Amino acid sequence: MIPFVVRRDNDLVPNPIAHGGWGPTLGGQVVGGLLARAVEQHVPEDDLQPARLTVEILRRVAGEPLRVTASVVRAGSRMRAIDAAMTQDGELVARASALYLRRGTQPDGDFFTTAVTLPPPPKEPAHFDETVPMFIRAYGNDDGERFPWQHSGPRYAWLREIRDLVDGEQLTPFVRAAMAVDVTASLTNFSTKGLAFINADYTLTLSRLPVGPYIGLAALTHYSDAGVATGSASLFDTLGPIGSGVSTAIANFNFDAARKYGGKDSPAS
């Protein structure tokens, strides 16, 4: 299956499948995945837990060669902070900051959290559709005429990455989570009229790494005014909750849901 990007000397070269739903520019999941990949290369200790990743998309990332670098900002006994940058033709197009925390003893006691129940994970298909970036099963409106999130009610998703981010490299749990959380923007910003907000940045928080290939999302909030939106979602794997996603977005139009999530006959319908 065609990967999102391939290596060429010191560059990473995107394939057309890496384009998102807003035209011939890289999808947010690819941008975030590549930044997370660079971050992860600076964390050798097994007991450091990725607790937060914030991805800022400073301009539309063209489907052209790019470079990604990362550096440790601070390393302490219980944490490590890392910054990453994505450039094209020497210009900064996206960046990320990550925080790793050292795992240890879990405190006693009961904690309050808002209860969220996802639909069960979908059945693994016999064959994945190679024309779409990912396998996703969207839940929400079920009238069969509109994209499932195009309604004013609860919406959920289970998704699975089906191709390499970088040719020949196996996806790590952290990179898979960093790619999945980009869906927070679409999940929380759909209205009855469609999707008219584009990601400006997003944040992933993790209490633990995902287990298995499937990551689920449940929309929690959407607040918007004068073309500025923020949305939040809970993230799950098949064992239970793993963290949260937060998206900030600005009004934009002409989103092609079929390009990013598949057409009417896709699993997302």
Side-chain angles (χ1 to χ4, degrees):
M1 190 173 292
I2 297 173
F4 284 115
V5 303
V6 295
R7 287 181 291 262
R8 189 176 69 192
D9 298 327
N10 293 324
D11 293 335
L12 296 171
V13 182
N15 284 313
I17 194 66
H19 295 168
W22 299 100
T25 58
L26 264 62
Q29 81 274 22
V30 177
V31 175
L34 291 174
L35 289 165
R37 169 181 174 267
V39 162
E40 199 168 40
Q41 293 171 1
H42 291 269
V43 187
E45 295 90 345
D46 291 338
D47 58 346
L48 281 174
Q49 160 75 39
R52 178 191 55 78
L53 174 74
T54 297
V55 174
E56 297 178 78
I57 303 172
L58 304 176
R59 62 180 64 202
R60 295 196 181 204
V61 183
E64 300 173 358
L66 56 88
R67 295 188 179 187
V68 185
T69 59
S71 60
V72 176
V73 177
R74 182 177 183 274
S77 61
R78 303 183 67 188
M79 57 84 70
R80 178 170 293 201
I82 302 166
D83 285 350
M86 177 179 290
T87 58
Q88 284 186 318
D89 293 325
E91 282 194 277
L92 183 67
V93 294
R95 63 188 179 189
S97 64
L99 177 67
Y100 279 70
L101 299 177
R102 194 169 301 281
R103 291 186 290 268
T105 302
Q106 172 68 7
D108 292 331
D110 297 324
F111 302 92
F112 171 78
T113 188
T114 301
V116 177
T117 302
L118 260 72
K123 182 180 179 181
E124 184 94 350
H127 303 284
F128 291 110
D129 183 355
E130 296 191 18
T131 67
V132 293
M134 70 189 81
F135 171 81
I136 183 167
R137 176 75 70 182
Y139 303 83
N141 167 57
D142 59 0
D143 64 11
E145 297 299 320
R146 297 174 294 172
F147 191 74
W149 299 337
Q150 193 173 332
H151 76 136
S152 60
R155 69 280 302 266
Y156 310 92
W158 282 101
L159 63 92
R160 186 193 198 284
E161 298 299 336
I162 59 175
R163 64 184 74 245
D164 292 347
L165 175 61
V166 177
D167 190 21
E169 292 185 10
Q170 184 174 359
L171 292 176
T172 67
F174 178 50
V175 170
R176 287 195 297 104
M179 297 176 72
V181 76
D182 170 66
V183 175
T184 300
S186 302
L187 181 73
T188 61
N189 289 323
F190 254 96
S191 73
T192 55
K193 299 294 186 180
L195 180 61
F197 286 98
I198 188 171
N199 238 353
D201 72 20
Y202 56 88
T203 294
L204 165 71
T205 66
L206 289 171
S207 61
R208 64 174 176 84
L209 289 169
V211 175
Y214 282 90
I215 294 179
L217 294 94
L220 296 181
T221 63
H222 168 93
Y223 307 121
S224 61
D225 184 72
V228 175
T230 180
S232 64
S234 286
L235 270 66
F236 292 74
D237 62 11
T238 56
L239 301 180
I242 60 173
S244 301
V246 175
S247 165
T248 61
I250 189 168
N252 200 55
F253 301 91
N254 301 317
F255 178 76
D256 185 353
R259 179 178 183 87
K260 186 163 186 178
Y261 300 127
K264 189 173 182 181
D265 297 327
S266 77
S269 300

